[in-house]
């Protein structure tokens, strides 16, 4: 903790530590998914792409922090993120079917080995020392802005379906807090490459929370975006069975209880397009939400 705090920039240190704490929780958000994978010894059609992309993002920010120097908060949280995402990917490789395992290895080698090695080589051998921070910062900024496609798509889905069940409030809340913390960290350290993407993150978070209160259905349990569409029908059947049992027992509740799993923005990015296609079809399949 002492390495994260500097008396030279006390406010930057405070928001850096706060950002570490919040991001720590966000990185651990998919843990229930992988506990389920471990218990069932199956990935159940879950996609590994979000975790491969998250690992690439963490590696990029570590490289940026090393080149910039004096960026302990960025280094600590992204080092933790690399460990966590690597553990997720390793567990996925253990329990995924052969085809999914090969796709995961291919995406990992393409993104985290080939692409990252290319960025390192270009930065070290082709970019002059004074320009390295600017070049790497621009790459990190572009990648972070691209990830905003996910919350933007969530907003469109909520408006289209007039339901907030696809957007867990706790996810939006913590991502907004994270954006605020890292925005002020970038502001106090005068780091535009950290500040700018979190401006967008803050406004998207506020928009999501506003839509949640506009479209939420009182009395319903919190649901989350799926990490897989393929097994949504099985989940819906299980939910219907639970509902039938509740009716038979004359329960006062009209919806079965669902434990909420907060997922990071990257899993949303990977699977949201599939869900939107399912919603937009004239004869939709039974159910779109995977309950945990």
């Amino acid at each position: 903790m002492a390495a994260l705090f500097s008396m030279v920039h006390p406010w930057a240190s405070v928001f850096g530590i706060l950002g570490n704490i919040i991001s720590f929780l966000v990185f651990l958000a998919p843990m229930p998914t992988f506990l389920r994978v471990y218990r069932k010894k199956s990935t159940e059609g879950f996609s590994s792409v979000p975790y491969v992309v998250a690992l690439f993002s963490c590696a990029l920010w570590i490289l940026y922090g090393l080149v910039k120097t004096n960026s302990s908060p960025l280094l600590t949280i992204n080092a933790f993120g690399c460990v966590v995402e690597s553990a997720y990917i390793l567990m996925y490789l253990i329990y995924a079917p052969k085809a999914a395992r090969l796709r995961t290895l291919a995406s990992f080698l393409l993104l985290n080995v080939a692409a990252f090695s290319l960025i390192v080589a270009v930065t070290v051998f082709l970019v002059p020392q004074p320009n390295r921070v600017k070049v790497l910062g621009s790459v990190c900024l572009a990648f972070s802005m691209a990830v905003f496609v996910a919350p933007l798509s969530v907003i469109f889905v909520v408006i289209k379906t007039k339901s907030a069940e696809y957007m867990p409030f706790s996810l939006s809340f913590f991502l907004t807090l994270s954006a605020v913390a890292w925005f002020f960290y970038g502001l106090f350290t005068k780091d535009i490459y950290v500040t700018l993407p979190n401006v967008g993150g803050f406004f998207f978070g506020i928009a999501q929370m506003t839509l949640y209160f506009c479209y939420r259905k009182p009395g319903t349990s919190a649901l989350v975006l799926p990490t897989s569409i393929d097994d949504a029908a099985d989940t819906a059947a299980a939910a219907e069975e639970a509902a039938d049992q509740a009716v038979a027992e004359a329960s006062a509740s009209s919806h079965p209880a669902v434990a909420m799993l907060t997922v990071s923005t990257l899993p949303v990015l990977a699977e949201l397009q599939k869900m939107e296609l399912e919603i937009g079809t004239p004869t939709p399949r039974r159910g779109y939400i995977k309950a945990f």
Side-chain angles (χ1 to χ4, degrees), residues 21-233:
I21 294 172
I22 299 172
S23 299
F24 175 86
L25 297 175
V26 173
F27 275 126
L28 293 180
M31 187 69 72
T33 297
F34 284 91
L35 289 176
R36 174 189 177 95
V37 168
Y38 175 75
R39 287 195 301 267
K40 296 203 169 187
K41 311 299 182 187
S42 171
T43 55
E44 300 183 303
F46 296 131
S47 173
S48 64
V49 172
Y51 311 104
V52 173
V53 173
L55 180 60
F56 177 68
S57 176
C58 290
L60 277 181
W61 283 109
I62 287 177
L63 181 61
Y64 173 76
L66 290 173
V67 171
K68 182 185 177 183
T69 69
N70 299 321
S71 303
S72 295
L74 290 178
L75 293 175
T76 52
I77 190 57
N78 285 290
F80 174 77
C82 281
V83 173
V84 172
E85 300 301 337
S86 297
Y88 291 155
I89 294 171
L90 178 61
M91 183 172 291
Y92 187 92
L93 290 174
I94 293 174
Y95 294 112
K98 183 178 180 179
R101 191 181 302 126
L102 292 176
R103 286 195 300 269
T104 300
L105 287 173
S107 60
F108 175 82
L109 292 174
L110 178 64
L111 196 60
N112 291 283
V113 177
F116 184 73
S117 298
L118 178 62
I119 292 173
V120 172
V122 170
T123 302
V124 173
F125 298 108
L126 299 181
V127 179
Q129 177 71 33
N131 296 331
R132 288 177 184 174
V133 171
K134 183 177 181 180
V135 170
L136 277 175
S138 299
V139 172
C140 292
L141 176 61
F143 189 81
S144 298
M145 297 300 290
V147 173
F148 285 151
V149 172
L152 184 62
S153 299
V154 172
I155 290 174
F156 289 153
V157 171
V158 170
I159 294 175
K160 182 176 181 179
T161 61
K162 298 186 184 302
S163 173
E165 62 184 354
Y166 301 103
M167 185 175 61
F169 177 80
S170 59
L171 171 63
S172 302
F173 178 73
F174 280 105
L175 289 180
T176 303
L177 287 183
S178 177
V180 170
W182 288 113
F183 168 81
F184 280 108
Y185 171 79
L187 186 66
F188 285 115
T189 58
K190 299 180 181 179
D191 190 333
I192 190 174
Y193 303 112
V194 175
T195 303
L196 281 182
N198 287 292
V199 173
F202 172 77
F203 283 109
F204 278 122
I206 293 297
Q208 286 179 334
M209 289 189 289
T210 301
L211 286 174
Y212 176 85
F213 286 110
C214 289
Y215 291 110
R216 72 188 182 101
K217 298 177 182 179
T220 59
S221 301
L223 300 174
V224 298
L225 286 168
T227 45
S228 172
I229 294 297
D230 296 335
D231 54 351

Side-chain angles (χ1 to χ4, degrees), residues 230-290:
D230 296 335
D231 54 351
D234 295 337
T235 300
E240 290 176 4
E241 181 179 355
D244 293 340
Q245 182 178 358
V247 171
E249 296 173 354
S251 173
S253 173
S254 60
H255 293 79
V258 180
M260 185 174 69
L261 166 64
T262 56
V263 292
S264 68
T265 302
L266 290 169
V268 176
L269 174 65
E271 300 294 343
L272 188 57
Q273 186 177 4
K274 293 181 182 179
M275 186 188 68
E276 288 176 317
L277 291 173
E278 291 286 334
I279 293 174
T281 53
T283 56
R285 293 166 59 185
R286 297 171 58 197
Y288 304 103
I289 300 300
K290 184 171 182 62

